[in-house]
Amino acid sequence: MDKIVNLSLSVLLVLWGCAHGGSPSVQIGGLFPRGADQEYSAFRIGMVQFGTQEFRLTPHIDNLEVANSFAVTNCFCSQFSRGVYAIFGFYDKKSVNTITSFCGTLHVSFITPSFPLDGTQQFIIQMRPDIKGPLLSLIEYYKWDKFAYLYDSDRGLTTLQVVLDMAAERKWQVTAINVGNLKDERKDEAYRSLFQDLENKKERRVILDCEQDKVKDIMEQVITIGRHVKGYHYIIANLGFIDGDLSKIQYGGANVSGFQIVDFDDPLVSKFDQRWEALEEKEYPGADSKIRYTSALTYDAVQVMTEAFRYLHKQRIDFTRRANNGDCLANPAVPWAQGVEIERALKQVRVEGLTGNIQFDQHGKRVNYSVNIMELKTNGPVKIGYWNEVDKMAVTKSDVFANESTGMENKTVIVTTILEAPYVMLKKNSDLFVDNERYEGYCVDLATEIAKHCGFKYQLKIVGDGKYGARDAETKIWNGMVGELVYGKADIAVAPLTITLVREEVIDFSKPFMSLGISIMIKKPQKSKPGVFSFLDPLAYEIWMCIVFAYIGVSVVLFLVSRFSPYEWHTEEYEDGQIQTNESTNEFGIFNSLWFSLGAFMRQGCDISPRSLSGRIVGGVWWFFTLIIISSYTANLAAFLTVERMVSPIESAEDLAKQTEIAYGTLDAGSTKEFFRRSKIALFDKMWTYMRSAEPSVFVKTTGEGVSRVRKSKGKYAYLLESTMNEYIEQRKPCDTMKVGGNLDSKGYGIATPKGSSLRNAVNLAVLKLNEQGLLDKLKNKWWYDKGECGSGGGDSKEKTSALSLSNVAGVFYILVGGLGLAMLVALIEFCYKSRAEAKRMKMTFGDAMRNKARLSVTGSTGENGRVMTPEFPKAVHAVPYPRPDMGLNVSLTDLS
């Protein structure tokens, strides 16, 4: 359909030109700045639209840099030499004097949509109405007495001067700031710094007296630093309020006002708008968007010129330039005689155009015009009134910036959240449910409790882009849940949303409902089973060594005190035939001392014991020592034999920073990465230096990717993430991750609302109440541990003591077998030694002695009391105590033979 309309319009333009091919030509000059594509398209359409049978307008167009006075001079003289009757064009602060000088000297009328000039310049027809009156009326209407005025010096200082004069009269406090001389490469930083300074001065009312392109740049930085929220008010002091893209700011909450010269509700404008939208953008650049006010002024300027020349034609006034195409730089200058008539005709024009009533005073300035007063609402720009020279400002709507956040009764609150286990999850059979019933999780339960306390109905809405909320570096637009709140698409965010400074600047947070910090996740080490000699583990290696030295030391001390104490000596009497011998003996030789100490340590006792006081002291302290050691050993032995321990390669961030074998990283875009990047602490700065330069990259795009990397890295990668998620994943199958060390920082999750929302206080009180009632802890236990899949011990472990296996006590059996083998070896050595001694004594061969000993060992002969008798055993042994010197000897000997 659009192609048919475009084809019809093209055919109409061709036929129109053919029909007026014989009409006299009126030469019109055109000076357009580079980039003014839409204005030039409007100029061309006007040329076709307002052509008449009496004459036709023939344009001569030059594209130039209007800030270059030399280029303006060259183009103006070129137009004048072509014999143009009038010139349409643009100027700026640098070229305005050049143009006004040429026009006044050569009597060539210059029709312009550029900013109005002060004074009484001749031959300048100003299409743009003056904005001073509407601006002052709007300031008075809002009752501003303190505000900042940002102006572009390229537009002149006339409006600022009027505002300052009124401020002096009304005692206003005005902070005037020139933003026209900022360098392009640093303008964004300068704008942010400027508004930060204004914030420090509590300046939250700002007038932007700039063209639309500069207003766009400023508003982008306003959004970037969060100054587009409730509490701020901006007035855009140009006549194209809806020309710019206001969608980025309309949901922020800030009040934005302005002026609109083109009324799209007017039938004349609506009809033109339909034709404009039907144009082909390739042929008419800029036709793909709504016509701007500067383009509408250009279109109306063509109509004004057409009406003026039609009037001259009807009055039969000769305005031809025969033999008058002279040099504009001639000295003396030769003005055009008919130029005065053309100027008079232009000032007498009175028509209705796209910018309303078009009428000029004797100085070529617009009079009797009307400007719409606009305000930005959440549903877009809205006309709240108008301004004209007679009525001044007239308000047609009384709900000017009414509080749209009224009571929540009869309103369903939109709760934005994000799918993130265990906070918000889809139920397994979610297809069977609708709306809020489809979801479960910590934040779902929390939203229910908050709605119950605040008394509103709500609807859960999953954020479309799946993001928490960050500001895009290029577009300066907030995404995620923060963007939903900033741009008015949601009323509240209930999600694991970290409270940060940059977010707090654009939205409000409640008190934290959960505290957390950055933690370290590693793959759970393999459980080390007890070794063969694990029964030694209850005591450290150093303790075992000390016990050995203590054992030897006690045995030596016992040997010495027994040797020097007379009470450890006793007499033994031997009777061999008719010979009797008495010998003093001491039972605590070195070997018996070692045997006594060993028996006491093993809790088995011994067949000998000290008789002297000193020996008993040694024995007593040794018994006490062994009591404590053995009790401590026994207490720890069960745990070391039945528990499979895990040895973690790292225990803290310090361990991570000191080594290079285990790589570590964070989420590629998130608060954890920003924490390390901005940290000034030496340890974290060292970790950031490593992460930034590590190859391959240690950063991951999602938390799931980070967890997967930990599980597949075989213990060679550690992931830094928020502790709550770390604890939750630790309780999920396959139960192969674990949190080590403490948190690296401290922060909290909060419930977010738009700036100035009426829900903020109610939500804040609800969170505090839920915390005092212990419900927040109860919810966390429910979704983290009660529904955990790994148990309190992690993995598939059960809460019971496992039975001992052979591997747990294998070392004890090895020692038993080794001891038995050693005993047999020693017995063999003793056997051989005794056989050799017997062979020497009996003067027989070593082999015969071994055979006799072996026969005796096998058969033997049992004597009295079950004792094995050998040939060497004495027939009678009598033990006689060693008599004390003061005792009389009165001993009777019993013959046992």
Side-chain angles (χ1 to χ4, degrees), residues 424-478:
V424 179
M425 302 173 288
L426 283 171
K427 293 181 178 178
K428 294 182 179 180
N429 52 349
S430 60
D431 295 338
L432 303 178
F433 300 94
V434 294
D435 298 332
N436 300 342
E437 299 298 326
R438 300 175 60 231
Y439 306 103
E440 64 177 358
Y442 178 93
C443 286
V444 176
D445 293 348
L446 180 60
T448 301
E449 293 296 330
I450 290 175
K452 186 187 303 182
H453 282 78
C454 297
F456 60 76
K457 299 178 181 178
Y458 71 97
Q459 178 182 353
L460 290 175
K461 178 184 175 184
I462 304 299
V463 62
D465 57 10
K467 297 180 180 179
Y468 287 90
R471 189 168 45 219
D472 188 271
E474 296 180 0
T475 63
K476 311 302 180 184
I477 297 177
W478 283 90

Side-chain angles (χ1 to χ4, degrees), residues 285-583:
D288 57 334
S289 59
K290 276 188 174 295
I291 188 168
R292 296 190 291 266
Y293 83 99
T294 51
S295 301
L297 292 172
T298 301
Y299 180 85
D300 287 346
V302 177
Q303 184 180 5
V304 169
M305 288 188 290
T306 302
E307 291 298 325
F309 288 115
R310 179 183 288 118
Y311 169 78
L312 293 174
H313 189 271
K314 285 182 179 180
Q315 298 296 322
R316 300 184 182 274
I317 298 175
D318 182 17
F319 55 86
T320 59
R321 292 189 58 187
R322 288 186 295 271
N324 199 17
N325 297 346
D327 184 5
C328 68
L329 299 178
N331 190 11
V334 181
W336 181 27
Q338 288 78 14
V340 176
E341 294 294 338
I342 294 178
E343 181 200 19
R344 185 182 297 113
L346 288 169
K347 292 179 179 179
Q348 291 177 354
V349 172
R350 184 170 183 175
V351 294
E352 287 291 328
L354 299 181
T355 57
N357 178 59
I358 301 174
Q359 188 176 351
F360 304 96
D361 62 10
Q362 59 181 349
H363 302 298
K365 298 180 180 179
R366 287 277 295 267
V367 293
N368 295 330
Y369 58 90
S370 178
V371 175
N372 290 334
I373 307 299
M374 309 294 292
E375 286 182 350
L376 185 62
K377 303 289 188 179
T378 54
N379 57 344
V382 175
K383 176 183 175 182
I384 64 159
Y386 63 90
W387 183 94
N388 59 38
E389 294 178 334
V390 178
D391 301 328
K392 300 302 180 183
M393 181 169 176
V395 178
T396 57
K397 285 194 175 182
S398 58
D399 59 337
V400 181
F401 290 127
N403 185 5
E404 299 174 7
S405 300
T406 53
M408 289 299 160
E409 305 86 357
N410 303 322
K411 179 182 178 181
T412 300
V413 174
I414 302 299
V415 178
T416 182
T417 188
I418 190 171
L419 285 176
E420 185 78 69
Y423 301 99
V424 179
M425 302 173 288
L426 283 171
K427 293 181 178 178
K428 294 182 179 180
N429 52 349
S430 60
D431 295 338
L432 303 178
F433 300 94
V434 294
D435 298 332
N436 300 342
E437 299 298 326
R438 300 175 60 231
Y439 306 103
E440 64 177 358
Y442 178 93
C443 286
V444 176
D445 293 348
L446 180 60
T448 301
E449 293 296 330
I450 290 175
K452 186 187 303 182
H453 282 78
C454 297
F456 60 76
K457 299 178 181 178
Y458 71 97
Q459 178 182 353
L460 290 175
K461 178 184 175 184
I462 304 299
V463 62
D465 57 10
K467 297 180 180 179
Y468 287 90
R471 189 168 45 219
D472 188 271
E474 296 180 0
T475 63
K476 311 302 180 184
I477 297 177
W478 283 90
N479 58 23
M481 292 179 287
V482 177
E484 298 274 305
L485 296 175
V486 168
Y487 303 125
K489 299 179 181 179
D491 301 305
I492 187 174
V494 182
L497 194 60
T498 306
I499 302 174
T500 63
L501 174 62
V502 292
R503 289 173 178 168
E504 186 72 51
E505 289 177 343
V506 296
I507 57 177
D508 287 330
F509 280 101
S510 69
K511 298 294 183 182
F513 63 82
M514 184 179 293
S515 297
L516 62 147
I518 298 173
S519 62
I520 304 172
M521 172 190 288
I522 64 170
K523 184 175 177 62
K524 189 175 293 183
Q526 294 294 331
K527 295 179 179 179
S528 58
K529 294 185 178 180
V532 173
F533 296 100
S534 60
F535 62 87
L536 298 176
D537 291 341
L539 299 180
Y541 169 80
E542 294 83 359
I543 296 179
W544 285 117
M545 293 303 299
C546 290
I547 290 175
V548 171
F549 289 125
Y551 164 68
I552 296 174
V554 168
S555 300
V556 171
V557 170
L558 181 61
F559 168 73
L560 294 176
V561 298
S562 297
R563 282 288 175 180
F564 286 97
S565 175
Y567 297 102
E568 293 294 345
W569 293 89
H570 60 276
T571 301
E572 291 185 351
E573 181 181 309
Y574 298 95
E575 182 178 337
D576 185 7
Q578 298 300 319
I579 302 174
Q580 293 183 349
T581 60
N582 295 326
E583 182 179 352

Side-chain angles (χ1 to χ4, degrees), residues 518-522 650-660 662-666 672-695 697-699 717-721 740 742-745:
I518 298 173
S519 62
I520 304 172
M521 172 190 288
I522 64 170
I650 56 173
E651 295 292 345
S652 65
E654 289 82 358
D655 294 343
L656 271 181
K658 286 188 297 186
Q659 56 81 51
T660 57
I662 300 176
Y664 50 91
T666 69
T672 302
K673 182 179 179 180
E674 284 298 304
F675 167 79
F676 284 99
R677 188 176 70 84
R678 297 174 181 272
S679 178
K680 302 300 181 182
I681 300 175
L683 173 64
F684 300 147
D685 184 62
K686 179 180 179 181
M687 295 176 68
W688 169 248
T689 302
Y690 162 78
M691 290 188 285
R692 182 178 54 186
S693 59
E695 290 293 340
S697 176
V698 294
F699 298 111
Y717 181 76
Y719 183 49
L720 299 161
L721 74 166
V740 295
N743 294 341
L744 277 61
D745 69 341

Side-chain angles (χ1 to χ4, degrees), residues 620-797:
V621 296
W622 177 243
W623 289 341
F624 176 78
F625 173 82
T626 58
L627 172 67
I628 301 302
I629 293 294
I630 297 301
S631 299
S632 303
Y633 173 81
T634 306
N636 291 332
L637 180 63
F640 275 83
L641 291 181
T642 59
V643 174
E644 297 178 341
R645 293 179 295 164
M646 294 182 295
V647 180
S648 175
I650 56 173
E651 295 292 345
S652 65
E654 289 82 358
D655 294 343
L656 271 181
K658 286 188 297 186
Q659 56 81 51
T660 57
E661 183 179 355
I662 300 176
Y664 50 91
T666 69
L667 194 65
D668 192 21
S671 57
T672 302
K673 182 179 179 180
E674 284 298 304
F675 167 79
F676 284 99
R677 188 176 70 84
R678 297 174 181 272
S679 178
K680 302 300 181 182
I681 300 175
L683 173 64
F684 300 147
D685 184 62
K686 179 180 179 181
M687 295 176 68
W688 169 248
T689 302
Y690 162 78
M691 290 188 285
R692 182 178 54 186
S693 59
E695 290 293 340
S697 176
V698 294
F699 298 111
V700 295
K701 295 181 179 179
T702 63
T703 298
E705 181 184 341
V707 174
S708 176
R709 187 167 176 179
V710 169
R711 287 172 170 164
K712 295 178 181 179
S713 65
K714 298 181 180 180
K716 299 301 182 183
Y717 181 76
Y719 183 49
L720 299 161
L721 74 166
E722 292 172 339
S723 58
T724 50
M725 185 58 65
N726 197 348
E727 294 166 359
Y728 176 74
I729 294 173
E730 186 176 354
Q731 294 297 318
R732 299 291 103 185
K733 289 183 177 179
C735 307
D736 56 353
T737 65
M738 64 181 291
K739 173 187 174 184
V740 295
N743 294 341
L744 277 61
D745 69 341
S746 179
K747 51 191 173 184
Y749 289 149
I751 298 174
T753 56
K755 280 285 186 181
S757 172
S758 60
L759 285 172
R760 178 187 178 184
N761 291 335
V763 169
N764 207 27
L765 292 174
V767 171
L768 291 174
K769 186 174 183 180
L770 293 175
N771 187 36
E772 291 177 357
Q773 293 176 346
L775 187 60
L776 297 181
D777 292 333
K778 183 178 179 181
L779 288 178
K780 184 173 182 180
N781 289 332
K782 172 184 176 182
W783 291 103
W784 264 256
Y785 305 109
D786 296 349
K787 293 181 179 290
E789 299 172 349
C790 301
S792 60
D796 297 324
S797 63

Side-chain angles (χ1 to χ4, degrees), residues 9 37 49 87 125 144 159 175 212 230 235 257 293 353 381 408 416 533 572 626 688 795 825 831 844 846 849 851 884:
L9 183 59
D37 294 336
Q49 182 71 28
I87 299 177
I125 308 300
W144 284 11
T159 305
T175 303
Q212 200 62 46
K230 191 168 183 179
I235 295 178
S257 309
Y293 83 99
M408 289 299 160
T416 182
F533 296 100
E572 291 185 351
T626 58
W688 169 248
L825 177 63
F831 179 80
M844 61 176 60
F846 179 67
R851 280 192 292 272
R884 288 167 30 194

